[in-house]
Amino acid sequence: MHEVRSFDPYGAHRDDPYSFLADIGETEPVFYAPLLGAWCVTRREDMVAVLRDDQSFSARDHNPRPAAALPEDVSRMFRTWRGADAVAVGSLDPPEHARVREVLNAGFTPARVRAFEPTIRAIATDLVERAAVLTEFDFISAFAVPYALEVICRRLGVPEDYYDRCRTWSEQRIELMMSQSNADPERLREFARGLMDFGAFARSLVQERLAAPQDDLISELLHDGKAGRTLTADEVSVQVPTLIFAGHMTCAEALGTILYQQLQSPGGWAEVVDGTIAVRDLVEEGLRFDSPLAGMYRTAVRDVVVGGVHLAAGSRLLLLYGAAGRDSRSRACPAAFSPDSRSATHLAFGHGIHFCLGAGFARAELEIAVEAIAARMPGLTLAPGQPPHHRPVFPLRALTELRVRQ
């Protein structure tokens, strides 16, 4: 029998889950966390083995679950807001996954990313110029979130009038996934109704592009699939909210981490400005040191052995990607933040058939943002005060704010 562990990434371990995970990982790399209702996997090799074995592990239930049962009407809306029986690509198992994924991949090829880079640069430049007039500001709300949101919305073809609503709908989804036992039922209903609106908006937008395609990703998925392969309107409608949600939240979170870690390092921001630290190395190290998605859930569909632990069919696993980036058994995973050591190796984009389809897009987006900030704000420093804290939205790693000065 394995002892249960009081891993609490919403409370005691919110800001620093890694110290706890490093200590326990030395002796018990797979442990049960009752608060999460899951077996936590901390070693890279074990995670890679699970992610490669899509016959033994299902991605169908890969998101966090509410800590308490939702009201019946809220639960029904939460299950059906995308459409009846609708499943986003991240939750699809083979063989359905391969067909949908193949079409989505075509929207994020290196050529597509390069073609969109001028738009990304223009967005970054505009937002940096707006922030540059401020002596002190919150980097998360002034740059990271609006930048990441506008980039993915522009790629998809979301009208500008809906950017703020897409952000609100994404936050409402988080609130429902992270719902606690003391949550106000009326607020939960408000959030669920918001998600219903999100689903309706996605379906309406897709119908518009079906009838009148434009130069955007939604139109490409409907009309320009590789070798004639496209998705149906219903299939595209299901993917749109996920692309908005994942596409902006993880990028904003990664930008916050990258900036914070470098600003508090001995060399500070000056090492990025003068080229001592290459932008690409800084981005990869930020993704390794504190992955914006600290983990992902899988469900065993048969009796399995993971890290020497026997788990019954139906067991829920949390693959802690962030812990993999600090696996003490790997020389490429130092305990310290060190972008100049070329040490970055990580699972921030996952592994296997569910490897992030927008990884190349995200890397370009992050690097362009850092370059724009370094060029326009060479004297950037952390503002005086308490260190920033993380929101209780694990396995996302989101700073509440990041006060900076220039």
Side-chain angles (χ1 to χ4, degrees):
M1 290 292 293
H2 285 258
E3 184 180 352
V4 297
R5 300 294 183 176
S6 57
F7 179 44
D8 182 6
Y10 306 119
H13 308 123
R14 181 191 305 179
D15 289 321
D16 178 21
Y18 301 112
S19 296
F20 175 91
L21 295 173
D23 289 342
I24 194 172
E26 290 295 324
T27 58
E28 200 173 345
V30 178
F31 67 91
Y32 187 74
L35 182 66
L36 305 176
W39 291 87
C40 295
V41 183
T42 64
R43 287 184 180 170
R44 179 189 177 90
E45 64 185 61
D46 295 329
M47 293 182 220
V48 169
V50 169
L51 292 168
R52 285 178 174 170
D53 187 0
D54 48 77
Q55 298 302 308
S56 300
F57 301 94
S58 171
R60 187 80 178 203
D61 190 20
H62 76 270
N63 285 314
R65 293 174 178 170
L70 298 171
E72 197 281 329
D73 58 333
V74 173
S75 179
R76 183 178 64 255
M77 287 187 281
F78 197 26
R79 291 193 310 270
T80 62
W81 66 276
R82 295 178 188 274
D85 302 318
V87 181
V89 67
S91 299
L92 287 174
D93 291 322
E96 297 92 339
H97 173 268
R99 180 183 62 83
V100 175
R101 172 69 184 238
E102 182 181 31
V103 180
L104 290 172
N105 280 343
F108 294 96
T109 62
R112 295 278 197 191
V113 173
R114 285 194 297 272
F116 196 67
E117 282 185 4
T119 301
I120 300 176
R121 292 188 187 280
I123 295 168
T125 299
D126 176 61
L127 285 167
V128 167
E129 289 298 328
R130 291 190 212 176
V133 302
L134 306 172
T135 302
E136 180 177 325
F137 60 96
D138 171 26
F139 175 76
I140 304 299
S141 62
F143 183 89
V145 169
Y147 168 72
L149 184 62
E150 183 171 354
V151 167
I152 191 59
C153 284
R154 290 276 291 275
R155 179 69 185 101
L156 283 164
V158 173
E160 186 175 354
D161 290 349
Y162 281 88
Y163 292 177
D164 287 342
R165 272 177 276 189
C166 285
R167 174 65 178 171
T168 297
W169 289 328
S170 296
E171 287 291 338
Q172 289 173 331
R173 185 182 176 204
I174 289 177
E175 292 291 341
L176 287 171
M177 286 193 296
M178 304 296 173
S179 176
Q180 302 298 309
S181 58
N182 61 350
D184 178 0
E186 286 307 312
R187 282 181 59 80
L188 295 179
R189 290 186 178 93
E190 176 189 346
F191 299 154
R193 287 191 291 269
L195 285 192
M196 296 297 287
D197 291 341
F198 200 3
F201 162 73
R203 290 187 289 273
S204 174
L205 183 59
V206 168
Q207 287 298 323
E208 290 179 13
R209 296 298 185 270
L210 186 63
Q214 297 185 16
D215 183 18
D216 56 42
L217 179 57
I218 292 176
S219 301
E220 292 164 18
L221 298 176
L222 291 166
H223 300 279
D224 303 328
K226 181 180 178 183
R229 298 184 183 92
T230 58
L231 299 179
T232 67
D234 286 344
E235 288 171 334
V236 175
S237 298
V238 171
Q239 312 309 325
V240 167
T242 290
L243 291 169
I244 293 172
F245 178 87
H248 89 269
M249 301 206 78
T250 52
C251 177
E253 291 152 12
L255 279 173
T257 292
I258 289 166
L259 203 72
Y260 174 56
Q261 294 299 335
Q262 186 58 37
L263 288 177
Q264 68 169 350
S265 70
W269 193 240
E271 290 189 331
V272 181
V273 175
D274 67 17
T276 300
I277 293 174
V279 169
R280 179 161 297 183
D281 292 342
L282 177 63
V283 166
E284 292 302 315
E285 179 67 355
L287 292 170
R288 177 198 74 86
F289 187 75
D290 197 351
S291 172
L293 181 61
M296 188 73 80
Y297 289 93
R298 290 291 184 270
T299 304
V301 299
R302 60 181 66 154
D303 292 355
V304 293
V305 177
V306 179
V309 178
H310 291 260
L311 303 176
S315 295
R316 189 162 157 87
L317 292 78
L318 176 57
L319 310 180
L320 289 161
Y321 298 162
R326 303 198 195 187
D327 192 333
S328 61
R329 300 185 306 163
S330 171
R331 294 180 60 187
C333 296
F337 182 77
S338 52
D340 57 344
S341 66
R342 299 185 181 275
S343 63
T345 178
H346 58 75
L347 292 178
F349 295 119
H351 189 83
I353 66 169
H354 285 285
F355 182 80
C356 176
L357 62 90
F361 186 84
R363 283 185 163 108
E365 188 177 358
L366 292 169
E367 290 171 18
I368 287 170
V370 172
E371 290 168 357
I373 297 163
R376 189 63 178 84
M377 302 180 183
L380 207 62
T381 62
L382 290 173
Q386 295 296 314
H389 295 288
H390 288 80
R391 298 174 58 195
V393 292
F394 192 87
L396 296 174
R397 292 284 294 158
L399 292 169
T400 56
E401 66 173 356
L402 180 61
R403 304 295 304 180
V404 295
R405 277 188 173 181
Q406 52 179 334

